[in-house]
């Protein structure tokens, strides 16, 4: 028993200074030598030892001291046990939260892996499908080839990736080869498949031409029996698509496709659809960008046809674009200038204030032709271009204003040269006053000077008359144009006030 009493609790887990301090509420210090589990085990053993009846002492003082110490120790132990329990509960909750987050992350990773596997599987299946379609293009069965061509057309209609993949798998050569068959439906299916493969893909456009599609399409056109209208429309659409690539322009132009496109545009047999006409016009514009094709266009008498088509606002801007490309070559300018009423038609376009694009293109054509040919400048002046140019410099777009000003400058310089040629010799003699007289003038210098001054005044009066005549002509032309645009009667007679204005006008109103 004494051994048990000497085995103080403090010697196991607690430290205290003396029994007096303990009885007076002494302070205990926890040992850090044990883990929480070992600490609880030691406390349990100590309590069990101190509470056993076999070791109880008969001394009252010692019993009192022991009882107080045991009570205090028990209370402290209970608090420690509670704190330990709370800590354990907190640790368990934290562990559960961490385990929950780990499980969610694991689930997300698993879902991502599954989705990646599904997507990869779909891509592999799509690639196998494309391989099967391309393989069917090469079978002997004409029906299967036509079905495969229709499948290529649908797959490549709106998917640029499909166009690249199908071309890489070798779909273009067998589709071009299908143009040799006699079945019209198979030809149409292959043409539209090729058309879709070339949309927005220059590599495919070049590959289609390289595979011989242009010559095979022309072979269909030149067959003894006229091609089916639907087949012709498909060929026109392909020429439009292929001509958008610059390297293809001279190939298509020199192949003989331009007459076919011109015939589709003119449509004398009324067999072409509206869409086919639009495609033909756009294809001709693409081909006209290459200067080597302008001569082929002129040979078809397309220029005259296009000039007469001006006025249809739906196609006028495209027509003027073709004429602009033609005007960049000498042959094209010559072809335009020989068309009857070519300049009045182009000058009338300058007054289309609701179509700035047409005004800009018409002014470009007139500017180029005025710069290159004197005869064209004269024809423009006679057609009344000055008033339209003046109006364009005020009301046109920025580009149209610049071009109109440039034309006016060209005409002004040309008019100055013309006046100089008409009066050059006489004006030169007037400037050289000392030598304008005869050999006897040296003996009478005053008389010679007077004679020269009179001659100069005569020449100046002639020049004033010419300027006045030009001013009146310009004003009269302006008046006729105003009457025409105002839908007034053709026999409209200007008022006396207007006549007085025209008669009193000076050369300041002359634009050049």
């Amino acid at each position: 028993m004494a051994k048990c009493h000497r085995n103080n609790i403090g010697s196991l887990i607690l430290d205290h200074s003396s029994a007096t301090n303990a009885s007076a509420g002494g302070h205990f210090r926890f040992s850090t030598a044990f883990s929480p589990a070992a600490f609880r085990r030691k406390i349990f053993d100590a309590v069990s030892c101190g509470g056993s009846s076999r070791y109880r002492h008969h001394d009252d003082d010692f019993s009192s001291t022991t009882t107080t110490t045991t009570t205090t120790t028990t209370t402290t132990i209970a608090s420690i046990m509670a704190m330990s329990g709370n800590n354990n509960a907190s640790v368990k909750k934290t562990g559960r939260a961490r385990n929950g987050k780990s499980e969610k992350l694991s689930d997300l990773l698993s879902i991502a892996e599954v989705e990646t596997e599904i997507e990869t599987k779909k891509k592999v299946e799509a690639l196998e499908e494309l391989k099967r379609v391309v393989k069917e293009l090469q079978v002997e069965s004409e029906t299967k080839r036509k079905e495969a061509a229709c499948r290529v057309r649908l797959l490549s209609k709106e998917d640029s990736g499909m166009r690249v993949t199908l071309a890489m798998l070798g779909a273009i050569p067998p589709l071009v080869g299908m143009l040799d068959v006699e079945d019209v439906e198979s030809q149409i299916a292959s043409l539209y498949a090729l058309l879709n493969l070339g949309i927005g893909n220059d590599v495919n456009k070049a590959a289609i031409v390289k595979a011989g599609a242009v010559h095979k399409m022309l072979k269909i056109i030149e067959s003894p029996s006229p091609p089916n209208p639907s087949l012709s429309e498909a060929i026109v659409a392909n020429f439009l698509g292929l001509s958008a690539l610059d390297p293809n322009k001279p190939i298509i132009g020199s192949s003989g496709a331009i007459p076919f496109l011109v015939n589709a545009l003119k449509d004398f047999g009324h067999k072409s659809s509206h869409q086919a006409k639009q495609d033909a016009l756009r294809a001709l514009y693409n081909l006209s960008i290459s200067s080597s094709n302008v001569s082929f266009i002129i040979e078809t008498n397309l220029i005259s046809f296009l000039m007469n088509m001006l006025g249809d606002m739906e196609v006028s801007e495209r027509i003027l674009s073709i004429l602009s490309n033609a005007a960049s070559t000498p042959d094209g300018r010559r072809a335009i200038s020989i068309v009857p009423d070519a300049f009045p038609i182009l000058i009338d376009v300058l007054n289309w204030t609701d179509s700035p694009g047409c005004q800009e293109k018409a002014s470009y054509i007139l500017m180029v032709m005025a710069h290159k040919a004197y005869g064209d400048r004269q024809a423009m002046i006679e057609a009344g271009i000055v008033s339209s140019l003046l109006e364009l410099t005020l009301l046109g777009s920025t580009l149209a204003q610049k071009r109109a000003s440039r034309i006016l400058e060209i005409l002004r310089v040309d008019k100055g040269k013309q006046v100089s040629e008409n009066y050059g010799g006489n004006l030169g003699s007037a400037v050289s006053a000392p030598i304008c007289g005869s050999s006897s003038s040296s003996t009478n210098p005053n008389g010679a000077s007077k004679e020269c001054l009179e001659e100069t005044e005569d020449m100046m009066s002639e020049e004033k008359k010419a300027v006045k005549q030009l001013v009146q002509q310009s004003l009269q032309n302006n008046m006729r144009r105003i009457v025409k645009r105002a839908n007034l009667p053709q026999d409209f007679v200007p008022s006396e006030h207007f006549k007085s204005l025209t008669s009193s006008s000076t050369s300041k109103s002359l634009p050049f």
Side-chain angles (χ1 to χ4, degrees), residues 263-280:
N263 289 333
L265 175 63
K266 292 181 178 179
D267 189 27
F268 292 127
H270 302 287
K271 296 180 180 179
S272 299
S273 65
H274 178 73
Q275 185 62 48
K277 292 179 182 179
Q278 291 286 335
D279 291 346

Side-chain angles (χ1 to χ4, degrees), residues 259-507:
F260 165 72
L261 294 171
V262 172
N263 289 333
L265 175 63
K266 292 181 178 179
D267 189 27
F268 292 127
H270 302 287
K271 296 180 180 179
S272 299
S273 65
H274 178 73
Q275 185 62 48
K277 292 179 182 179
Q278 291 286 335
D279 291 346
L281 184 62
R282 293 168 61 193
L284 288 168
Y285 164 70
N286 288 342
L287 295 174
S288 69
I289 295 174
S290 176
S291 58
S292 62
N293 290 332
V294 174
S295 59
F296 299 115
I297 292 175
I298 294 173
E299 291 175 359
T300 61
N301 198 27
L302 177 64
I303 301 298
S304 176
F305 178 77
L306 293 178
M307 292 293 294
N308 293 324
M309 281 184 68
L310 281 176
D312 184 355
M313 299 306 296
E314 185 179 2
V315 296
S316 288
E317 188 166 356
R318 186 77 62 184
I319 290 173
L320 289 167
S321 298
I322 297 174
L323 295 175
S324 298
N325 293 332
S328 63
T329 66
D331 292 339
R333 291 192 293 272
R334 193 177 302 110
I336 294 172
S337 63
I338 64 176
V339 175
D341 296 329
F343 292 111
I345 292 172
L346 292 172
I347 291 170
D348 185 61
V349 176
L350 298 179
N351 300 317
W352 295 357
T353 55
D354 56 341
S355 181
C358 291
Q359 287 181 322
E360 293 171 358
K361 291 176 175 60
S363 61
Y364 173 79
I365 297 169
L366 292 168
M367 180 182 68
V368 173
M369 298 187 71
H371 178 69
K372 296 292 184 179
Y374 170 78
D376 293 339
R377 292 193 289 270
Q378 291 298 111
M380 292 177 194
I381 294 173
E382 292 174 0
I385 192 174
V386 175
S387 59
S388 297
L389 291 175
L390 290 173
E391 183 177 351
L392 194 60
T393 56
L394 298 175
L395 304 177
S397 64
T398 302
L399 183 57
Q401 288 178 359
K402 290 181 179 179
R403 289 173 176 173
S405 299
R406 177 57 180 160
I407 298 171
L408 287 171
E409 181 181 354
I410 294 171
L411 296 178
R412 182 177 66 249
V413 172
D414 184 66
K415 183 59 64 177
K417 290 180 180 179
Q418 183 180 0
V419 172
S420 177
E421 290 174 359
N422 291 337
Y423 304 105
N426 294 329
L427 290 175
S429 60
V431 172
S432 304
I435 59 172
C436 65
S438 61
S439 58
S440 61
S441 63
S442 58
T443 59
N444 190 5
N446 294 330
S449 298
K450 185 176 180 181
E451 183 180 353
C452 289
L453 288 174
E454 291 176 354
E455 186 177 355
T456 302
E457 290 177 357
D458 292 340
M459 294 303 101
M460 291 299 293
S461 62
E462 291 293 333
E463 188 173 348
K464 287 181 179 180
K465 290 180 181 179
V467 171
K468 185 176 181 180
Q469 184 179 359
L470 288 173
V471 170
Q472 290 180 348
Q473 181 181 357
S474 177
L475 291 173
Q476 290 171 2
N477 289 335
N478 291 347
M479 189 61 192
R480 282 197 297 268
R481 187 171 297 278
I482 292 170
V483 169
K484 181 179 179 181
R485 294 182 64 187
N487 294 323
L488 295 174
Q490 294 297 325
D491 56 351
F492 172 76
V493 179
S495 64
E496 294 297 330
H497 177 65
F498 178 78
K499 290 181 179 180
S500 64
L501 288 176
T502 56
S503 61
S504 62
S505 298
T506 64
S507 60

